[in-house]
Amino acid sequence: MAFQLGSVATKLEMLSTSDHSSIVSMNMFVALLCACIVIGHLLEENRWMNESITALLIGLCTGVVILLASGGKSSHLLVFSEDLFFIYLLPPIIFNAGFQVKKKQFFRNFITIILFGAVGTLISCAVSRKSLKSWILVPWILEIIWVSTLLLVSVSFFILVSLGSDRFCSVILAIGAIFAATDSVCTLQVLNQDKTPLLYSLVFGEGVVNDATSVVLFNAIQSFDLSSINPSIALHFAGNFFYLFLASTLLGVVAGLLSAYIIKKLYIGRHSTDREVALMMLMAYLSYMLAELFYLSGILTVFFCGIVMSHYTWHNVTESSRVTTKHAFATLSFVAEIFIFLYVGMDALDIEKWRFVSDSPGTSVAVSSILIGLVMVGRAAFVFPLSFLSNLSKKSANERICFKQQVVIWWAGLMRGAVSIALAYNKFTSSGHTQLRGNAIMITSTITVVLFSTMVFGLLTQPLIRFLLPAPKQSTSALSSDPNTPKSVVVPLLEHQQDSETELGGQDIPLPASFRLLLTTPTHTVHRYWRKFDDSFMRPMFGGRGFVPFVPGSPTERSPR
Amino acid sequence: MAFQLGSVATKLEMLSTSDHSSIVSMNMFVALLCACIVIGHLLEENRWMNESITALLIGLCTGVVILLASGGKSSHLLVFSEDLFFIYLLPPIIFNAGFQVKKKQFFRNFITIILFGAVGTLISCAVSRKSLKSWILVPWILEIIWVSTLLLVSVSFFILVSLGSDRFCSVILAIGAIFAATDSVCTLQVLNQDKTPLLYSLVFGEGVVNDATSVVLFNAIQSFDLSSINPSIALHFAGNFFYLFLASTLLGVVAGLLSAYIIKKLYIGRHSTDREVALMMLMAYLSYMLAELFYLSGILTVFFCGIVMSHYTWHNVTESSRVTTKHAFATLSFVAEIFIFLYVGMDALDIEKWRFVSDSPGTSVAVSSILIGLVMVGRAAFVFPLSFLSNLSKKSANERICFKQQVVIWWAGLMRGAVSIALAYNKFTSSGHTQLRGNAIMITSTITVVLFSTMVFGLLTQPLIRFLLPAPKQSTSALSSDPNTPKSVVVPLLEHQQDSETELGGQDIPLPASFRLLLTTPTHTVHRYWRKFDDSFMRPMFGGRGFVPFVPGSPTERSPR
């Protein structure tokens, strides 16, 4: 272990930023980050814009300025290092997503989704038993996003198989994984966790697990030669995926529980608030690095570490530590997101990549259009059927998701963001350069899709919501300081969903009652058993709400963001 | 400007940590940081130890393990990059020092110190008028630390001058600057800000300004060829120092006021707590980077930025942002400090450096002993005279600093820490390697002094305090959770100092009444004028306590650390 450590030496020496030009660019970058925050604040009232779009636009403008100043040679301050992204920027974003997510809603949904997935997989297996290629559909069991990924994958797959070009399978699977990653930042700005809990957790929770699964799927694909698919390879692939998924989750849960145990047992807050905060940060980061060490998915690990930490560890620390961790993690995540979008905006104008594209503009436009089309079809393919199934389990008509609301759910998840970009760079570049023509086209197409979806879909989200879901009798709330923001517009959506669980013995059951019971009963049972286990074993051991001598609360209480 | 940006590209690519060995060492380093925090907590009861010593010892042990595992080739996980230190680790430490310092105490002291310095410089100028070398004493005007630095410098200087080796002047001045930096971390663990405000601000404030001045002085020395000192060069040197000092301070103040103005004017907390926190962090960091850009002292800039931010900006943000910034900055600083000590511990065993030393162990031991001796003499030379002058201005006998207390003040500032190490690396290595024999000896001597002073002086501080200042009638306090800690032992020290100001028209004036008035009146007047200016112009403009619609408070309220 220690024998290899010498090589790190040279690495970290290169981190040197003492020469003046790098200080100039660091200054500009930090100043641009500040500008994004201030401008983002000023545009908060204008609900057409959001932070991501602001950062993208500022990045584009800076890119133009640099391009002109450098005489068309370069358009960015920093070269995108995939490692910078995966080692420093992504972990805080994903950890914070796990830390702030509403666990109850998330897990209730999670189980429902697994049920959906299992039924869906059984059906598709039965349908296409004769074709062994349906093995690729197995991961569908896991999550909702799989449906969209696999639709993308299988559409491209069947097109290519019919064209006889089996050798592109790996690339196509990778593209599927790249574009399966929804941008969860935009979702946050459209939906309100307190008012539409189920809708929020559906779209946001989906986005988060989505990012993680994309990365896992992507890594699994990378390590396999899928040019000739046969049952044993497909089985191996599925097995590898499950191993990655389960081992990563387990590592995250263990790291979270360990931090909870240490902080509870040693009662670290007795002497120092700072030690608690430092320990939580370092343990979370350690879990991510450990996952990378064992070739697991750091994203999944740190996401589940965040969930466990918010359920146990967060309740074991002092009041100041709670406020601090809640906001400090959110701030780090926020800055990392702006950083990425600012960078993407600057990088979009990079000359080197577009040189290849300028030879064949037709191909590039065609690829981008096909990708955008596939993203839209892929999302429609699971939002509408799932909403239909969800509606079947509803008692009264006003609890159902109407068609207009389904359109909003579909639309809110169309944006593709930083994770897509990072995965595309990972797949299609070697050390920051795009030598091959095909790779250059894939990178530029990814950038085009991200820019287009963020700008066009992002800008149109608010007007669409206003058009489709006009504000009902102005519901004033203590949480939303400005009742004119669209956050309060989405109120009627699924607001009473969680009540349906407690009234399960119900009286006015609509038509497919048996189907509804099939969907809600297992969820309910699993949740009850979990609560029992949690109360009788986990909480006395690892702390948590009510098991430590502090005022109860939750990091998921929404502050105005 | 933008033309140079290309070179950053290659730099940041090198930041790549994708290969496995670097992930292994990052894991180990993060795990060691966690271990330091937990062990530091466990040893909190044992007041012989402190976090710095723990981190040093863990670093040493790890160094031994790696040394054995690598067959004597290497002893560290990371090569010390001076840039890593100056760009990432030092700014949070110094910013936090400025942010948490008790401004009132600090500035009252500051002015007193300037008075002392001016009188001292006039005297020494008059005494050594015939020797033009006394020009080097001009910076004495500025701060208390100057006295210790200059004592070190001038003692070494006169020794060398008498030996006729003028060409070593630059090195000797640099050594003076390197060892002038007190370790403020250790001070924090000995003294209590609430109970002994003046004593705390004397030693801690000294330590902080100290670090900053060391760096400024060091940079000023670096850029001058002092091998042949003549009046014009000395004057130029003094002018350069004043320019650095004033411009850096001004930049920090402007950055702090700008952040206060933006946050107050735009009322950013209305929409987002995270934006406020992010903006404060980024503006502070921007001020540091701007100072580096203009070849100023980033340390001084970020220190004054911290002071201004805690006086204005901190009062303009929401309650949650206040708690978050207070603890998040402290945590970042805490982690950075442990990081440095852990590294120093590991680096102490580096083979390459000791190889040179093993040829002539006598020289190395002699150099280290002389340095430790000079540090002790240098500190004694200003603590005891200053205490004597301070005692002259005291009314009653029990307010005076008795000899035992003077010894504690002297002892608490003897430890040398991370700043000394960083400056030594800066001066005596080129890109992480120590080729020259003389340089290797200086590096190893610095490490020896830091290890010795932290371990021996640090470990003996608590017993010394117990011995010299036995606990009086157990004063229980709400702030100190454990009344047995020595924090409450130092209670009688200078506790009523601040009252002397309000009772200035006093009745029972002791012998040198005129001298006492000379010392206290200007301080009092300057402070009153500042308060007037602050209340009538600055606060309405930039916010601050009472000028924003929030509950008043202060980031300097001590939480158990």
Side-chain angles (χ1 to χ4, degrees), chain A residues 179-409:
Chain A
F179 287 100
T182 318
D183 183 13
S184 48
V185 192
C186 295
T187 313
L188 279 172
Q189 300 183 328
V190 177
L191 303 169
N192 184 312
Q193 190 168 14
D194 290 305
K195 290 181 184 157
T196 56
L198 181 70
L199 187 63
Y200 179 91
S201 73
L202 254 175
V203 183
F204 174 68
E206 171 209 331
V208 164
V209 183
N210 197 330
D211 286 353
T213 328
S214 282
V215 176
V216 175
L217 178 59
F218 183 79
N219 286 335
I221 290 167
Q222 289 289 77
S223 56
F224 275 87
D225 176 26
L226 293 174
S227 57
S228 59
I229 289 178
N230 63 46
S232 90
I233 283 185
L235 200 63
H236 196 173
F237 173 76
N240 190 38
F241 178 85
F242 275 106
Y243 162 73
L244 270 181
F245 198 94
L246 294 177
S248 306
T249 307
L250 197 70
L251 180 61
V253 170
V254 168
L257 288 179
L258 188 66
S259 77
Y261 187 78
I262 290 175
I263 287 177
K264 180 168 182 267
K265 212 68 193 170
L266 301 181
Y267 190 12
I268 284 179
R270 187 178 32 159
H271 292 311
S272 162
T273 291
D274 304 336
R275 251 189 222 128
E276 287 180 336
V277 179
L279 203 58
M280 280 177 81
M281 271 186 189
L282 289 172
M283 291 283 286
Y285 196 68
L286 186 61
S287 78
Y288 184 85
M289 292 309 292
L290 278 176
E292 294 290 311
L293 183 67
F294 299 133
Y295 301 105
L296 299 174
S297 162
I299 303 288
L300 263 181
T301 303
V302 85
F303 178 70
F304 279 96
C305 184
I307 289 182
V308 172
M309 277 198 176
S310 81
H311 190 63
Y312 298 110
T313 321
W314 194 78
H315 293 279
N316 299 351
V317 299
T318 59
E319 186 57 39
S320 334
S321 295
R322 284 191 216 164
V323 179
T324 306
T325 48
K326 185 175 148 189
H327 291 292
F329 293 152
T331 305
L332 285 179
S333 159
F334 173 70
V335 172
E337 276 161 9
I338 298 182
F339 189 100
I340 293 169
F341 277 103
L342 195 55
Y343 182 82
V344 170
M346 272 184 219
D347 195 63
L349 291 170
D350 188 39
I351 291 295
E352 194 193 351
K353 298 186 194 71
W354 296 100
R355 198 173 294 139
F356 293 103
V357 178
S358 61
D359 301 340
S360 52
T363 321
S364 181
V365 170
V367 170
S368 306
S369 314
I370 290 172
L371 286 173
I372 291 171
L374 284 177
V375 165
M376 293 175 84
V377 170
R379 194 163 171 83
F382 79 90
V383 166
F384 296 109
L386 187 78
S387 305
F388 176 74
L389 285 177
S390 172
N391 281 347
L392 287 184
S393 69
K394 294 289 149 50
K395 281 170 288 183
S396 57
N398 69 341
E399 275 180 6
R400 295 198 184 128
I401 311 171
C402 75
F403 182 71
K404 285 176 176 179
Q405 290 167 334
Q406 292 175 20
V407 171
V408 171
I409 299 178

Side-chain angles (χ1 to χ4, degrees), chain A residues 142-201:
Chain A
L142 277 167
E143 289 146 52
I144 203 161
I145 185 53
W146 277 99
V147 188
S148 97
T149 310
L150 290 169
L151 211 118
L152 267 172
V153 169
S154 50
V155 166
S156 330
F157 188 74
F158 287 116
I159 293 171
L160 281 177
V161 166
S162 62
L163 293 172
S165 57
D166 247 15
R167 67 201 172 84
F168 280 124
C169 279
S170 161
V171 171
I172 292 299
L173 280 170
I175 292 172
I178 288 169
F179 287 100
T182 318
D183 183 13
S184 48
V185 192
C186 295
T187 313
L188 279 172
Q189 300 183 328
V190 177
L191 303 169
N192 184 312
Q193 190 168 14
D194 290 305
K195 290 181 184 157
T196 56
L198 181 70
L199 187 63
Y200 179 91
S201 73

Side-chain angles (χ1 to χ4, degrees), chain B residues 418-434:
Chain B
V419 173
S420 296
I421 295 268
L423 290 177
Y425 274 94
N426 186 332
K427 176 76 187 171
F428 298 112
T429 64
S430 48
S431 65
H433 295 284
T434 42

